Each structure stands twice: as structure tokens, then as C-alpha cells.
Amino acid sequence: MMLHQEMARLAKGLVSDPVAGAPDADITLAPTSAEDAASVLGFAAEHSLPVRFWGGGTHQGMGYPVVADILMSTHRMSSIVDWQVDDLTVTVQPGVLIADLEGELQQRRQTAVLQEVPGQSTVGGAVAAGLSGWRRLRYGPTRDRALEVRLATGDGRLIRGGGRLVKNVTGYDLPRLATGSFGSLGLITEMCLKLWPLPPEHAMVPVQDAERALALAYRPLALIETNAGATLYLSGSREELEAQAERVGGDLVSGHRWPQPLVGAVEATLRVPPSAVAQLVEKLRAAGIDFQAAHGVGEIRLVGSLGELAELRDTVEATGGALVIGKIPKGADFDPWGKPPEGIDLQRRVKAAFDPRSVANPGILPGGI
Amino acid sequence: MNPTQAQLDACVTCGLCLPHCPTFRLTGDEVASPRGRIAAMGAIATGALPSDETYAEMMSFCLGCLACEAACPSLIPYGEMLVGAREQLAKDQPSLAGRLRRLLAGRILNMKWLLALVTSGIGILQKLRVVGFLPKRLRLMRGLRPLRVFPHSVLGVRDHTPAEPAGSVALLAGCVMDEWFPEVHDATRGVLQMAGFQVHSPERQQCCGALAAHEGAGEEARRMAQRNVSAFSGYDYVVADAAGCSAHLKEYNQWAEGGESVAERARDVTEFVAALIDRGLLPTFAEARGPVAMQDPCHLRHGQRITAAPRRLVRAAGYTPVEIDQDGLCCGAAGLYMVYEHETADELGASKAAEIQATGLTTVVSANPGCEIQLRSHLGKGYRIVHPIELYWESLS
Amino acid sequence: MTLVDDLQAILGPDRVLSHPLELLVYAKDAGVTPGEAVAAVLPETTQEVSACLRVAARHGVPVVARGTGTGLSGGAVPDEPALLVVMTRVDPAWEIDAASRCAWVGAGALNLDVSRGIEGLGMHFAPDPSSQAACTIGGNVGTNAGGPHCLAEGTTVVHVLGVEMVTASGDVVVLGSAAPDPIGLDLRGVVVGSEGTLGIVTRVLVKLTENPPAVRTLLLTFDSLRAAAATVSATIAAGIVPAALEMMDQPMVIAVEAFIHADLPVDAAAVLIAEVVGLDEGVDAEAATIERIAVEQGATSVRVAGDDAERELLWKARKNAFGAVAQAAPNYYLHDTVVPRTALADVVTQIYEIAERFELEMMNVFHAGDGNLHPLVAYDAREPGKAEQVQAAAEEMVRVSVAAGGSLTGEHGIGLEKRDLMGLVFSPVDLDAQARLRDAFDPDGLMNPGKILPRGARCYDYGMSALPESEPS
């Protein structure tokens, strides 16, 4: 408790009310600057106090549970720092809501290609969890647009990697390392993302045979199959859209309607080589499991029972992929990651390079790193 | 005769030559690459390192195919540098094997009587069907056309002069060309006469000297070139029907006093005849005789940058040329290389043969005697390897 | 047993080189600085690479990986006497998963050979550095290579889904997978561009990109470099990200034309090569938009490549540019800096001023679309003081790029060339973090030492402690 008081004194002004949905922690802090975040982490490292990071709370079901003394929320770090419209880059703080950022970017017909139905997700949360939108089929995953990162590391340093440039190989690629690191290296306090111009028109084409449509269409935005059927998502000029519809032999429907997130007691994502999607879809359909499959990408979001997932995990891991839990009931006996990746010692040492005392979201990663 | 500093400096070590070098493609070792060899030449020329056996091996392992030269954005005269380095090596490290090679290229090939004797001998061996039992190193024997036991030469031939000749041509008789490929000479003479040219093969000419030059027998090469300069004087054109020879004639400015006069008038028969076809002086036939595989001799494709002409001839003869590879990688013949570096030559020959076999075609067109021998020895029975001028002449007659 | 004996025990005598002449051949890449190897090996398999690394570790000898040595920043040039591991022979049978659009290829495979090898599938490997006919995939991974078409497609890291790597201790590890977002930290992403300092990549899982149904290539001519640069900015601002957007200035065009004979406009101050790809129904409209923008910005002529042959010739011209410089002078120094593309015109102007001030002959050829500059200085190193002058000018060029919000290198890598300039863009703390990341992979510092990070990048070199002193609580 002495410690708690000292921290409260140190972190004066940072103390926040508990965040809705967040688990209990000794103290909830909401830094307003990268420097504040770094000093809190430095203090935590010094006293070996685990810190859990919190954005919009939408992906907190992922990874091994983190038991933390300090909950660090990013909700007070929510500005767009620098938007270079003509350079197609934007630099933001982690607490910016995806919905707000995309809304802003849309006014100049640009997009960061983050999740299409983000809910309360923050940019920092999506980047830390390494999540991408459906449009990654066309534009690639979020990690390929992470140009620069500022990180308050687990030992309280403030470091920067990459640069606000669309092309840059100066130094090790820390922006990519940070993407999908689940806060295990520290808190992302700022990041620069590459943007894409929004094409003039958007449309969908419902298709019968997803894989066939994928082969016929030229670089569509997405091809999503759900229990209800498969849909090709397109953008471009009117002529291009019509040409694409003709290629796949379907009818254009104006605009985009993205699938709403699947909600259930158990949510998971299958990550498999794209060639494995069609077979898995058949299997899921047969089993009556609710799913949303991204053809050509290899990502299948679903809700189901733990029993069903256990069986699926074997299939998925046999393809070289992973079944990743998005949410499970508290205390359920199910590994959120499954088989850890190769090179787990390297993973552990890399984390230690940034967070030697293991206080930043400790144990959240595969292998309990 | 080491390369000059200016030549060496021209290499910016960009490495763009590497994928075009057959020996680098085989070994993955830059010691066997143009950039590596130039670096080595530089070290020897400046005296930074002594000329030793390793250096000699490096220079000897090069095919001299000149694919690197054609790919070089710095326009480095690699072939000239290599020939210079080899000549210097012949002085600095006169090994027995090297001496034998130079004796063969610089003297023996230029001895008509001896070559005729050898030709008769092989002709007899062929008739006795014992060529297949010869050692691997002499694989080239298996690639020869059936030789005449009593060879005849074009030397001194003065074909019937048309009333109003379109011009005069001196035909290079060549060394093995004359003894082993008389059909090609016949075709060349026939086509050129038909186009209205006066064709002579001057008696006092010598072997062109290309092989001697490539083996580092510079003195002999210069001597041959010098004699040919006088033998070929007075003709409008000097035509060779072996790509290696025409390439060398075009470089006579480096080899003989007054050599530029030959260099300027020298033509490979394919480019010469293709131009005549283009000018309407010779006929073309409908492309109805089927596809044939095209093999570009290095000294035509890289050395002279001629690729369209042989295809023009093939089309004019009524055939459809089919490409066998994208890069025109050397078949491994490379003059005497197929004898003294036969293992490497065999690997290259085998892969070239595999590319041809993959096309399913059984007629292969090649405009150089060495390539023809190499291809035939690797393709074996069932394949016809023919000079484009022969195909064209067949169609004409 | 000496190092060479131990290596020969693994590879036999023919694939271990130690003769001074053989090592001299491997002393340099396509850049300017030579280095020294104690031996060079030519392994063929991952296991052989691993065995060689174990031997090197036992002897405490540093290890430098090399592909075909087409790099420009000295990444494959030993900074201290080292074992050179030449990877050109490491190219086991490819495993192609056409349905997943990816393939495992050997690190020694040549970039262009990969694209040619999958031609029949209607796909290609997107990164296309100018050296693509000669460079290896392993080298591309090492430098995170770029190329003209990285404007729309991204650099190598975007096209590498996984790597098989031998670590400094000789262990073999596979990082990444054909499945998206492999779980755990993205070590694959860190390894790409790490210039062989984290391990030696032996196999690469490359992403294959669908060939576009239609391509339009435009050659735009300008009477000022500024107008060309303005066209670049205006094109991007108009919502078009072309497949490629390349610029050459007049001296460069003249040098290239002498080699390639592509009928390039040698009297223009600058030319832009713009390429748009996509559906037939889209490319003409995009090409027309670019043409309109160019004319608005003062383009003096616009030529659209009539066929594939003309298009290929234009690209051949572009990709042979830097080698063609040797016609002008025996040495060249090809720079590689990157700036926000909106700063392009200003920075280029400043770079011309620097070249003028140092009285250097400079040509420019660069990836204008991503603000990646390649000023190229042709000089004669035998002229006393010239090399130093070139070096000093180079540093100034980097400084003006950084001052404009840019960085040290867009695609060539840091290597030896720019490691001492890292302090221009990163603080000591940033560099220390990078050094620690490197140490996590290679605690003994044997993998390509002296590259990327300046000597003294670790915090103790600055007198900083690794962690704030812990106080008793």
C-alpha cells in the first residue's frame, strides 16, 4: 500500500476512474503524454509492478489473462497528431477511436484501412493486437502500413522506430515488431500509418462460388463468405466495377455492407493458409457454426462451443495456422493461442530487450511471454 | 597485354553481368564470374597479387561467350580484356597444357595438310563406327557431321562471275569450317551467286585466328590476321559463315596493321543475306515448312549483337523460328573449351540439349560450327542441326 | 584445426575459398567500400549453413552473409575479417502453393528467376530492384529491397510471409507462415531488412502477386525538374497511386540512352516514367488523368508505350541507369535517401546546389512516387581529394533530406555506408533499443558486426545504465 501511495503521488493527475469493463486493478492511470506513460512504466519496472494496457476494451479477451497492479488506459491520448494529406500518412495517438479517425480521413477521401465495423476499438488497440480490416485482401494487413512507432518501453524509455515516410529502411523495423505485440514491449504512444486514397465508388457482388470468384476478379477489396453466402467487395470507377461484375458473372449492388461482428460467449479466429479456407468453410457450414471467412486471406472469424473449437484447432494447426481466441468465459480451460510458434526463446529474449522486468502486459503472448 | 587501367576502372562492380555468365550460373561462385575475373585481372595488372595457378585457372574457366559484355551497362570490352590477360598469362606462366592448346590453335589448325589428314582419319573412324568409344574429352567427335575421307577445300575457288556482279565477296574458308562443314560453304556460295555476287575464296588466306587469340596465342593470331588483310584486299565484302570467325574478323583492327579495312567489310553470312532478302534481291517462301528451334551462337548474339538475321533467313526459308531460352546462355562449346574444360562444357551442353528437347522440335538452327558439334554430341540421333544458310539454300534449290 | 580445416571438413575443399585472389573477388559489393574476408564458403543447404555458423562461433569468427553482392551500402562487405557465407547455391526445390499465392524459395534464388519461374501461374514476385536480374531473394530480405513497383506494392517485407533462418548459434528457426498474422511477436518483420545481423536466412516464403490484366506505361517529358516533381505530388493528391512513378534528370537520360538506345528525350530537363496497372477498363482513364496532370504542370511531351517491347525497353533503360554512369567517370557514388514526397522538389533543388558547390558531376534517377532519391555522383577516385569531397557532399545530401523530414535510406539499407549517420535520425535511446533487439538474436555479436548501428550504440557507451537503479521498496 505504501507503494500504491507513492505511485499515486508520482502519477498525480494521471489517476483515472476505473474504466468500464476493465478488470480490477490497484490503480487506473490514464496518461496524457508519452512521457507520462514512460515514467509510469519506469516506476513499474523499478518496483516490478505488472501493467495492463487498455484501449477501447474490444480485444481484451485475446491472449493469456494479465493480472496487473496498474491498469493504463489510453483514453486521454486520443489526438490525431499529424495528417499529411498529400503524403498519404497520418500520425495518431493510441486512444483515437478507429471510427473517429476513418470519419476524419474520409472527408479527404482517404482511409487507414482499419476495421470496417470498429465499434469502440482504438487505433492503438487494433495495432497492438495486430488486427486488420476485411479490405486487407487488397491493401494488405495493418502491419504493412505501420510506418513509425513511438513506444514507452517496459523499462520506462521512450523510443522511436521507423519514420513518417512511405518507404524507409533506416534501422530495425520496430513499427512492425510493435504491431501485434499486445503491449508486451510497452505502450505504443504514437504511430504513423500509411493511408490509401478511397476510390470513387463502392459496390458488392453476391457470388455462388467464392473461390471461383476470387480467381476471376482482379484484386477485389474482400471476398467474405458467411453462413448466408459469399459476397465480393469492390471499389473503383463505375466502369471498373461493371467490368469486375462481368468477370465474376454477378450483379452489382451499390455500396458496402460489412458483416457485423459475431458475438457469442466464445469468439475465435482461425488463421490458415488461404488455400485451406474453402475446406474449412465447408466443415463449419456442415457443423452449423456461425462464421465469416475472408477468402484469399485465410482469416475465419467464428463463434462456437469450446468443444467445437478444440476439434477445429487440431485441423487448423495441421495447416500451419492457428486458432486464436477472441473471447472465452472467465476461467474456461482453453488455451487462447494454442501451440506456440517456433523460436520461442527468441521471442522471450526480444521481449526482454524492451521489458527486462516483464511488467508490460506480462505473460499475454504465446508461450506465456 | 594485361587490361589497361582505364578498362579496369570502367567496371563499377554493379554485378549486373552475373546472371548472364554461364559459369557463374553453374557454380554460384563469383570467382567464376565476369566481375570476379575483372577484379582478379586488376589485382594482377597492378601487381597487388602475383600471377599464379589460381589466376590461370580463373582465366581458363571463362568460356569467352561475351554474354557479360552484352549485358554491361558500363560497356566494358570484356572480351578484349580476357584475350589480353590470357596472352599475358601465356608469357608469365607457360604451362605445358597451355602450350599445347596454343600450338593447336595457333599452328596446327592453320596447317591445311595436317587438318586434311586428321579429317580423313576421322572420316574412316566414322565409317568404322568406333567414334562412340572415344574418351569423354573427345566427345566432340560424336558431334561431327559425316566427314569425307577425301576432303576438298574451297581455298582458291573462284565462282563463275555474273555479267553485272552486285559486288565481290571474299569467303573466309576457315580452318575446321573448310574441312568439316563443306555443305555450309556450298550453301553460302550458292546463295551469294544467286544474289548476283562474285564469290572468291582467296588462296593465300589463313585461319581467321580467333581460336589462337582466345587461347592467348597472340603472336600467331596477329600473324594470321596480317596475312588475311592482304589476302582479302580488293573485295567489297569479306563474308564468314561461322559466327566465331565473323566476330573475329570484325575485330581485325586490334589484330593487324590495316585490319580496320577488313573489320569494316566483314559480315556474318546471316546478316549479309538477311539484308539482301530485305532489299528484295533474294526471295522468301511462305512459312509452311514447320517450326525449328533457334540456338544463338554467343559470338553472333553477344559478340555481334545479331539475333534478327538468322531468324530472317529461317523465315525466308519457310520455317518458323522457335526460341529455346530467354538469355541465350552459352551451349558450352566455346571453341577449344569443350575439349579442355569438358566437364563444364558437358553440363552446359546437357542443359541446352534439355531445353531443346523440351520444345519437342528435332531441327535446330545454329550458325556456328562449334555450337553445332556440341549440340549434336548432346542431342544424339534423331536431331538435325543445321546452319541457317543451309536451310535457306535448300529452299532456293 | 584451423577455421578453414573445420569448414573443409563440412563442405569439402572446393566450396571453401581462402586463396587471396579468390577472397579479393568477394571483397566488395556494388558500393564503394571494400572489406576483408578470412575465408568464403559456398554452402548448399540449410544444414550446411548451420554447420558453418557453428564452426565460426566456435572459432569466434564473425560471419557475413552474401548473395550476389549487388548491394550498395556495404551490407555484405566485412567490416572486420570475417567468414563470408556466399548463399548463391542455397536454392532447394521450391514449394509453390498457388492457391495461397505463396512459395518457399531458396535464399540463393535470383529475384527475376522467381518471377520467371511462376510466370505460368500468372503471378510474379513484386519487389523489383534495378538489380533484379542479378540479386538474390536472400539479399532482398537482408536489405528489405525496394524497386520502382514498390510504390503501390510495398517493399520486400510486404512480400515475405516467412523465413527460415539460421541463428548465430547455428539453430534453425522458421519465422512466419502462409497463414495470416502468425501468433507471437512478428520476428519475421524484424528479420527482413536486418542485413544479416540477426541470422542468415536460408529459405524465404514469398508472397506471389497476380499479374495485372492491363498495363499502361507513360514517358512524360519536362523542361524543369520542379515541374516533374510537382506532377508526382499532384498525381498522388488526385487519389492515384500508380504502380510506379520514376524520374530521371537530363544527364542520367543521356548516359542511359547511350547504352540502351530507347529513343529517350535527351534534350529534356527531366523525364517521368509512370505506370498504371489494373483492369482494361481502368488503366486508360488513370493514364489519361496522369497525362492531364502532367500537361497542367508543364509537360512538354507525353509518350505512351505502344507495346510490351517498348515498355520493356523503357524499364530496361531505367534499371540499367546506374551502371551506365561508368561511361562518364570511373567511379560513382549512388545515394539513397528518402523524403516525404511533398518535399521532393525542394530537396532535389538543394541537392543540386550541394553538387554544384562541391563541383561534382551528378545525375539523378529515382523513385519519385515514394520520395526515394538516388542522386548519383560520377567521379574519378584517383583525383586527389575527390573521394573525400564526394563523401562530404553525400553527408550534406543526407542532412538536407533529414531536415526535410526524411531519413537515411529508402531501400539500399544502412550497411557500412550510413551506420555513422544513424544519430541524425535516432536518439541514443532509440539506438540503444535497436542494439538490444539485435543482441537478443545474437548475444555474442558475431553476425555481420559493424553494420546498421554505429559503434557505441549501446547505452553503456553513453554512460547510461540499462535500467534506473532500483531502490529498496
Side-chain angles (χ1 to χ4, degrees):
Chain A
M1 270 304 106
M2 278 277 289
L3 203 59
H4 183 221
Q5 280 161 10
E6 193 190 336
M7 164 114 88
R9 187 175 54 77
L10 259 176
K12 208 168 144 207
L14 306 186
V15 181
S16 149
D17 293 336
V19 181
D24 289 340
D26 280 359
I27 189 166
T28 301
L29 300 176
T32 54
S33 72
E35 288 74 16
D36 286 345
S39 17
V40 170
L41 281 161
F43 181 88
E46 200 178 329
H47 300 283
S48 292
L49 305 173
V51 182
R52 179 169 187 173
F53 304 115
W54 198 273
T58 41
H59 316 306
Q60 291 286 348
M62 300 180 76
Y64 292 109
V66 176
V67 182
D69 293 322
I70 302 169
L71 189 106
M72 192 184 283
S73 165
T74 60
H75 71 267
R76 286 186 190 151
M77 295 176 75
S78 55
S79 350
I80 295 174
V81 178
D82 180 24
W83 177 14
Q84 292 294 325
V85 178
D86 290 347
D87 279 329
L88 289 169
T89 62
V90 69
T91 306
V92 300
Q93 289 187 315
V96 174
L97 293 183
I98 290 175
D100 290 350
L101 175 64
E102 291 285 13
E104 191 80 16
L105 296 174
Q106 201 166 7
Q107 300 189 1
R108 299 292 297 270
R109 301 214 54 76
Q110 296 186 351
T111 174
V113 208
L114 292 162
Q115 290 100 312
E116 292 78 9
V117 191
Q120 287 303 300
S121 293
T122 60
V123 179
V127 172
L131 299 177
S132 305
W134 297 111
R135 291 169 293 169
R136 68 181 293 171
L137 177 63
R138 170 68 186 80
Y139 294 109
T142 301
R143 70 176 78 246
D144 286 344
R145 286 181 295 282
L147 304 176
E148 184 191 58
V149 67
R150 286 169 78 88
L151 201 61
T153 61
D155 57 356
R157 291 150 188 272
L158 203 53
I159 62 166
R160 191 176 59 81
R164 293 180 193 175
L165 298 154
V166 292
K167 189 179 187 186
N168 182 18
V169 295
T170 311
Y172 295 102
D173 198 339
L174 298 188
R176 267 195 181 73
L177 182 64
T179 307
S181 65
F182 283 88
S184 64
L185 310 176
L187 180 72
I188 296 171
T189 61
E190 197 177 284
M191 77 214 68
C192 177
L193 297 172
K194 177 176 165 176
L195 305 175
W196 279 90
L198 274 175
E201 300 206 32
H202 308 285
M204 302 177 291
V205 179
V207 294
Q208 288 301 315
D209 182 340
E211 289 293 318
R212 188 175 161 271
L214 189 65
L216 293 174
Y218 175 68
R219 303 185 86 167
L221 288 181
L223 206 170
I224 308 172
E225 184 164 7
T226 68
N227 306 71
T231 308
L232 187 68
Y233 290 77
L234 302 164
S235 65
S237 66
R238 176 67 13 199
E239 295 74 30
E240 285 172 309
L241 297 181
E242 281 166 3
Q244 293 269 41
E246 200 173 320
R247 282 168 88 97
V248 300
D251 297 324
L252 280 178
V253 180
S254 276
H256 284 163
R257 274 185 306 282
W258 299 102
Q260 290 301 308
L262 292 169
V263 179
V266 176
E267 300 167 8
T269 302
L270 314 183
R271 300 175 182 179
V272 294
S275 54
V277 171
Q279 246 184 333
L280 275 164
V281 159
E282 227 167 277
K283 198 172 163 132
L284 294 171
R285 205 185 285 284
I289 295 173
D290 277 349
F291 69 90
Q292 297 168 345
H295 284 271
V297 172
E299 190 180 294
I300 305 174
R301 306 178 194 177
L302 52 84
V303 292
S305 72
L306 289 178
E308 288 164 333
L309 294 195
E311 196 200 320
L312 275 171
R313 173 163 275 164
D314 290 342
T315 314
V316 165
E317 288 184 351
T319 70
L323 183 153
V324 176
I325 290 296
K327 189 170 110 189
I328 37 172
K330 223 175 176 168
D333 180 24
F334 197 88
D335 192 317
W337 296 114
K339 193 175 91 187
E342 269 190 48
I344 204 74
D345 283 346
L346 279 179
Q347 299 250 345
R348 194 167 282 126
R349 291 209 296 268
V350 168
K351 168 167 169 95
F354 295 85
D355 180 24
R357 297 279 164 87
S358 198
V359 296
N361 270 0
I364 192 169
L365 289 181
I369 290 165
Chain B
M1 292 300 283
N2 276 328
T4 65
Q5 197 59 40
Q7 288 173 333
L8 293 164
D9 283 344
C11 178
V12 295
T13 71
C14 67
L16 294 186
C17 52
L18 296 177
H20 301 277
C21 175
T23 50
F24 175 75
R25 295 302 299 240
L26 270 187
T27 60
D29 186 353
E30 286 186 52
V31 170
S33 79
R35 180 171 67 177
R37 291 175 184 127
I38 291 172
M41 289 176 199
I44 303 307
T46 58
L49 288 171
S51 175
D52 62 5
E53 203 179 320
T54 304
Y55 178 60
E57 276 169 22
M58 278 179 80
M59 293 303 116
S60 160
F61 197 58
C62 175
L63 293 145
C65 72
L66 306 183
C68 54
E69 212 178 88
C72 177
S74 302
L75 312 177
I76 291 177
Y78 176 83
E80 198 184 321
M81 293 162 75
L82 177 75
V83 163
R86 283 181 175 171
E87 192 177 345
Q88 186 67 41
L89 260 170
K91 292 199 182 89
D92 296 347
Q93 297 189 54
S95 71
L96 180 63
R99 234 178 277 174
L100 280 174
R101 266 152 58 184
R102 283 191 295 282
L103 187 68
L104 181 62
R107 304 230 178 224
I108 294 176
L109 284 178
N110 206 26
M111 294 178 178
K112 274 271 145 199
W113 62 273
L114 189 55
L115 207 56
L117 204 64
V118 170
T119 305
S120 305
I122 299 172
I124 292 166
L125 290 179
Q126 283 178 335
K127 292 217 161 30
L128 297 173
R129 297 175 192 278
V130 293
V131 170
F133 300 104
L134 289 168
K136 239 188 161 177
R137 192 176 279 271
L138 294 177
R139 176 175 204 132
L140 74 93
M141 296 295 176
R142 281 182 251 172
L144 294 176
R145 298 176 175 209
L147 299 188
R148 305 178 192 191
V149 178
F150 303 103
H152 71 239
S153 165
V154 293
L155 268 191
V157 159
R158 302 173 78 83
D159 284 323
H160 166 74
T161 308
E164 280 178 49
S168 60
V169 167
L171 173 65
L172 177 80
C175 45
V176 296
M177 226 27 225
D178 196 28
E179 302 294 335
W180 296 353
F181 300 86
E183 304 85 357
V184 178
H185 278 343
D186 292 346
T188 300
R189 285 161 59 192
V191 171
L192 294 185
Q193 279 183 69
M194 185 169 268
F197 283 85
Q198 181 190 54
V199 185
H200 290 179
S201 193
E203 194 149 16
R204 282 169 42 248
Q205 65 176 296
Q206 310 254 309
C207 156
C208 71
L211 290 177
H214 297 162
E215 294 306 323
E219 242 164 75
E220 289 84 346
R222 271 183 283 277
R223 196 158 50 229
M224 295 182 215
Q226 201 60 59
R227 294 216 180 143
N228 282 341
V229 168
S230 54
F232 293 143
S233 73
Y235 293 93
D236 295 334
Y237 301 99
V238 182
V239 170
D241 47 19
C245 305
S246 53
H248 192 62
L249 291 177
K250 289 179 179 178
E251 286 175 357
Y252 260 26
N253 49 331
Q254 298 166 28
W255 293 98
E257 199 106 354
E260 54 283 350
S261 77
V262 172
E264 283 157 15
R265 288 176 293 141
R267 302 283 186 278
D268 187 79
V269 69
T270 58
E271 63 175 326
F272 194 66
V273 172
L276 297 177
I277 295 169
D278 284 342
R279 281 163 54 199
L281 295 175
L282 286 168
T284 62
F285 299 91
E287 268 184 52
R289 294 175 206 253
V292 293
M294 298 299 298
Q295 190 265 348
D296 287 317
C298 293
H299 281 85
L300 201 58
R301 180 179 176 130
H302 308 307
Q304 303 179 60
R305 315 285 155 88
I306 294 173
T307 50
R311 287 159 180 76
R312 183 81 184 95
L313 256 66
V314 164
R315 279 186 204 284
Y319 296 89
T320 306
V322 172
E323 304 303 326
I324 53 175
D325 65 9
Q326 285 170 309
D327 301 314
L329 219 58
C330 180
C331 67
L336 296 181
Y337 194 92
M338 64 171 134
V339 182
Y340 65 80
E341 293 280 4
H342 64 97
E343 283 174 1
T344 307
D346 278 353
E347 265 188 79
L348 291 168
S351 75
K352 184 64 75 179
E355 276 167 15
I356 292 168
Q357 280 152 354
T359 64
L361 301 174
T362 52
T363 302
V364 187
V365 177
S366 179
N368 192 52
C371 310
E372 177 180 322
I373 292 171
Q374 171 79 338
L375 292 175
R376 189 174 291 112
S377 82
H378 281 277
L379 283 168
K381 287 199 178 89
Y383 285 84
R384 181 181 184 216
I385 296 107
V386 61
H387 193 290
I389 196 72
E390 288 180 281
L391 270 194
Y392 185 58
W393 178 235
E394 275 172 24
S395 299
L396 281 180
S397 30
Chain C
M1 291 273 277
T2 65
L3 175 76
V4 169
D5 290 339
D6 282 346
L7 292 168
Q8 286 190 346
I10 302 162
L11 300 175
D14 290 349
R15 291 190 284 129
V16 181
L17 312 179
S18 57
H19 186 284
L21 196 62
E22 293 171 329
L23 295 182
L24 175 100
V25 162
Y26 286 105
K28 241 175 122 285
D29 60 7
V32 288
T33 318
E36 192 189 333
V38 292
V41 288
L42 290 147
E44 288 176 354
T45 62
T46 302
Q47 289 66 36
E48 286 182 351
V49 173
S50 161
C52 291
L53 262 54
R54 281 184 209 279
V55 165
R58 204 161 63 230
H59 286 269
V61 174
V63 173
V64 178
R66 177 185 176 103
T68 42
T70 55
L72 289 151
S73 58
V77 175
D79 186 38
E80 53 190 272
L83 171 65
L84 206 59
V85 180
V86 179
M87 298 294 290
T88 47
R89 292 171 80 106
V90 183
D91 188 15
W94 299 354
E95 295 165 31
I96 300 173
D97 180 354
S100 290
R101 291 187 180 150
C102 61
W104 278 107
V105 302
L110 301 187
N111 174 307
L112 194 58
D113 283 355
V114 172
S115 286
R116 282 182 179 180
I118 54 171
E119 225 167 18
L121 301 171
M123 294 189 259
H124 66 284
F125 179 61
D128 61 339
S130 292
S131 57
Q132 84 179 120
C135 60
T136 62
I137 295 287
N140 294 164
V141 169
T143 54
N144 187 8
H149 289 86
C150 291
L151 174 56
E153 301 292 355
T155 52
T156 298
V157 68
V158 169
H159 304 278
V160 169
L161 303 177
V163 295
E164 177 188 79
M165 185 175 81
V166 181
T167 65
S169 54
D171 296 333
V172 179
V173 59
V174 173
L175 307 171
S177 70
D181 306 324
I183 58 174
L185 294 169
D186 183 10
L187 301 186
R188 162 215 66 105
V190 178
V191 165
V192 179
S194 64
E195 304 188 16
T197 61
L198 306 182
I200 295 185
V201 168
T202 48
R203 288 201 310 154
V204 185
L205 179 61
V206 294
K207 184 166 121 184
L208 307 180
T209 301
E210 192 179 347
N211 293 345
V215 182
R216 295 289 181 276
T217 308
L218 295 90
L219 184 74
L220 310 163
T221 308
F222 298 86
D223 51 19
S224 81
L225 214 79
R226 194 164 272 279
T231 301
V232 172
S233 293
T235 301
I236 303 281
I240 296 177
V241 179
L245 205 45
E246 301 283 306
M247 201 188 293
M248 284 195 260
D249 69 2
Q250 188 171 19
M252 194 73 249
V253 171
I254 292 171
V256 173
E257 179 62 19
F259 167 60
I260 214 91
H261 312 297
D263 202 11
L264 298 175
V266 289
D267 48 356
V271 301
L272 267 184
I273 299 175
E275 185 160 283
V276 290
V277 303
L279 296 165
D280 277 309
E281 292 75 5
V283 286
D284 285 328
E286 279 199 351
T289 308
I290 293 174
E291 185 172 341
R292 179 177 54 74
I293 290 169
V295 170
E296 278 168 14
Q297 301 295 337
T300 50
S301 82
V302 178
R303 168 173 144 199
V304 183
D307 53 21
D308 281 355
E310 191 179 353
R311 175 174 173 265
E312 269 166 34
L313 194 60
L314 285 179
W315 281 117
K316 195 174 172 200
R318 165 62 188 87
K319 292 189 174 183
N320 278 284
F322 75 109
V325 156
Q327 300 162 43
N331 305 91
Y332 72 74
Y333 186 8
L334 176 57
H335 303 73
D336 167 45
T337 75
V338 62
V339 297
R341 55 194 145 214
T342 43
L344 204 59
D346 287 340
V347 174
V348 169
T349 310
Q350 289 181 59
I351 282 177
Y352 273 103
E353 284 164 11
I354 294 168
E356 208 166 302
R357 191 147 37 78
F358 283 89
E359 293 174 6
L360 297 174
E361 190 179 341
M362 183 185 66
M363 320 182 185
N364 270 288
V365 49
F366 55 95
H367 312 303
D370 14 51
N372 190 184
L373 296 167
H374 290 322
L376 202 161
V377 173
Y379 66 105
D380 187 340
R382 293 165 300 187
E383 244 175 82
K386 201 69 184 177
E388 292 73 23
Q389 231 173 324
V390 170
Q391 205 60 44
E395 199 170 320
E396 276 203 40
M397 290 175 189
V398 170
R399 282 178 193 277
V400 298
S401 301
V402 171
S407 198
L408 308 181
T409 165
E411 56 180 7
H412 294 175
I414 296 292
L416 286 172
E417 184 197 5
K418 286 178 173 151
R419 61 156 194 225
D420 295 327
L421 299 176
M422 285 286 276
L424 290 179
V425 286
F426 291 118
S427 72
V429 184
D430 298 339
L431 291 175
D432 175 59
Q434 298 199 25
R436 288 200 221 178
L437 172 62
R438 175 185 187 145
D439 292 349
F441 283 83
D442 173 26
D444 299 325
L446 288 178
M447 301 307 297
N448 210 0
K451 305 297 165 63
I452 303 185
L453 297 172
R455 300 247 178 241
R458 285 155 186 83
C459 59
Y460 47 77
D461 297 315
Y462 293 98
M464 290 158 44
S465 66
L467 257 181
E469 283 301 313
S470 166
E471 286 163 26
S473 46

